[in-house]
């Protein structure tokens, strides 16, 4: 079971590792939709800190908290920018591990920046510290079960939840206890909360939040293409789980009941 850390002071070694990792990614992964980290003269750095550009605007979370639906065309453009930022990270072997509306800045000129690389994972770089990655409500089921520390598929899941919130204003599972396991198999279809959402957009997002990683997009780049094509590409929806997969106890109870009825009928008629 994934345990989320309580706020507190990190050991200096862990903080140093986090800052160095964030600085390295922010300076080496190039994307107009990814927050940057500015180089600091070592001679002037007497404390542990990073320097980042100031981005005007507010977070996507702040925009959604106003309760006003984001226009569909604007939302699709924002969604594509966030997905492109994630794609840029993955191409360089980086997993963000904390994608959420709080970490997306919307600029007054329409610019979009994905920020906060403090818990990102860099391929082939050993991690330090015990901080569990991710934020409750955006954590993929395989991470919640302790089967993964974060990879491209878990990033895609968190991205899908973020995009769902972008259009619906709330999570696919509604508001639940953040410390409890999400009802992953029962997300509310996007069009039920956003009737003007096109079918292709709903299919693209619902596929990204599929409980089984094998049923998500093969790569975030495929999701980017779906968002930017505006439905021109056929989007295969996530496969609907059978009753046996969703609730095996209920399935076998039903089978037993059918067999019992058949036995009774055969005895009566025989």
């Amino acid at each position: 079971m994934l345990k989320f850390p309580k706020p507190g002071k990190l050991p200096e070694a862990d903080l140093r590792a986090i800052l160095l990792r964030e600085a390295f990614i922010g300076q080496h992964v190039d994307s107009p939709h990814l927050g940057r980290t500015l180089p600091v003269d070592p001679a002037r750095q007497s404390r542990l800190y990073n320097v980042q550009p100031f981005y005007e605007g507010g977070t996507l979370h702040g925009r959604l908290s106003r309760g006003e639906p984001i226009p569909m065309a604007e939302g699709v453009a924002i969604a594509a920018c966030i997905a492109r930022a994630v794609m840029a990270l993955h191409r360089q072997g980086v997993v963000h591990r904390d994608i959420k509306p709080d970490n997306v800045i919307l600029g007054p000129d329409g610019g979009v920046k994905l920020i906060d690389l403090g818990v990102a994972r860099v391929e082939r770089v050993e991690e330090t510290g015990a901080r569990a990655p991710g934020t409750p409500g955006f954590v993929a089921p395989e991470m919640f079960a302790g089967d993964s520390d974060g990879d491209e598929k878990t990033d895609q899941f968190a991205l899908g939840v973020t995009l769902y919130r972008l259009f619906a204003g709330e999570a696919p599972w509604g508001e639940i206890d953040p410390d409890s396991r999400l009802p992953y198999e029962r997300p509310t279809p996007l069009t039920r909360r956003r009737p003007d959402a096109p079918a292709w957009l709903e299919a693209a997002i619902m596929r990204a939040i599929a409980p089984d990683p094998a049923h998500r997009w093969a790569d975030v780049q495929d999701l980017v293409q779906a968002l930017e094509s505006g439905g021109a590409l056929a989007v295969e929806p996530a496969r609907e789980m059978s009753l046996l997969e969703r609730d095996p106890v209920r399935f076998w109870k039903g089978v037993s009941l059918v067999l019992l009825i058949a036995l009774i009928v055969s005895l009566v008629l025989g």
Side-chain angles (χ1 to χ4, degrees):
M1 181 66 69
L2 182 65
K3 298 295 184 181
F4 295 100
K6 294 181 179 180
K9 186 177 180 180
L10 288 173
E12 182 173 326
D14 292 348
L15 179 58
R16 183 183 299 275
I18 289 172
L19 290 174
L20 287 174
R21 183 168 58 241
E22 186 171 27
F24 176 83
I25 298 170
Q27 292 175 31
H28 290 84
V29 181
D30 187 23
S31 170
H33 309 301
L34 194 64
R36 301 289 294 171
T37 303
L38 303 177
V40 180
D41 183 355
R44 298 183 58 188
Q45 190 164 9
S46 58
R47 295 290 187 273
L48 292 175
Y49 64 87
N50 279 336
V51 177
Q52 298 174 325
F54 172 73
Y55 298 115
E56 293 187 14
T59 65
L60 174 58
H61 174 78
R63 173 82 179 269
L64 295 174
S65 65
R66 302 175 196 168
E68 302 173 358
I70 295 178
M72 187 56 59
E74 181 185 2
V76 171
I78 293 172
C81 290
I82 302 172
R84 276 200 166 275
V86 178
M87 181 180 71
L89 289 172
H90 290 181
R91 283 180 171 176
Q92 298 299 321
V94 178
V95 182
H96 189 285
R97 300 202 296 181
D98 199 17
I99 302 168
K100 56 186 178 181
D102 306 73
N103 288 337
V104 176
I105 294 181
L106 304 180
D109 58 350
V112 178
K113 298 286 185 182
L114 177 64
I115 61 170
D116 195 353
L117 299 164
V119 295
R121 162 178 282 175
V122 182
E123 195 175 57
R124 297 185 297 276
V125 174
E126 184 178 351
E127 290 189 279
T128 59
R131 179 182 176 186
T135 297
F138 297 85
V139 176
E142 61 268 31
M143 290 183 71
F144 208 107
D147 298 331
S148 172
D149 291 327
D151 55 25
E152 293 184 1
K153 287 298 183 76
T154 62
D155 257 8
Q156 183 184 146
F157 184 90
L159 172 61
V161 177
T162 298
L163 300 189
Y164 188 102
R165 284 182 172 271
L166 166 64
F167 293 102
E170 57 182 310
W173 307 276
E175 299 304 324
I176 63 172
D177 183 353
D179 294 324
S180 64
R181 193 176 189 277
L182 298 175
Y184 292 106
E185 294 82 9
R186 299 185 298 277
T188 301
L190 176 62
T191 50
R192 191 174 301 175
R193 291 178 173 154
R194 190 68 189 263
D196 61 332
W200 67 264
L201 178 62
E202 177 180 69
I205 294 176
M206 301 304 283
R207 183 171 177 179
I209 62 174
D212 187 341
H215 298 155
R216 297 173 200 156
W217 293 95
D219 189 282
V220 170
Q221 181 177 355
D222 297 330
L223 176 56
V224 170
Q225 291 176 345
L227 292 170
E228 293 185 344
S229 69
L233 298 177
V235 178
E236 178 185 350
R239 182 179 65 85
E240 184 175 352
M241 299 179 69
S242 66
L243 178 60
L244 176 60
E245 294 173 302
R246 297 195 314 268
D247 194 339
V249 175
R250 182 181 172 191
F251 173 83
W252 289 115
K253 281 183 177 180
V255 171
S256 300
L257 179 60
V258 171
L259 293 176
L260 177 61
I261 294 174
L263 176 62
I264 295 174
V265 171
S266 65
L267 291 175
V268 171
L269 296 180

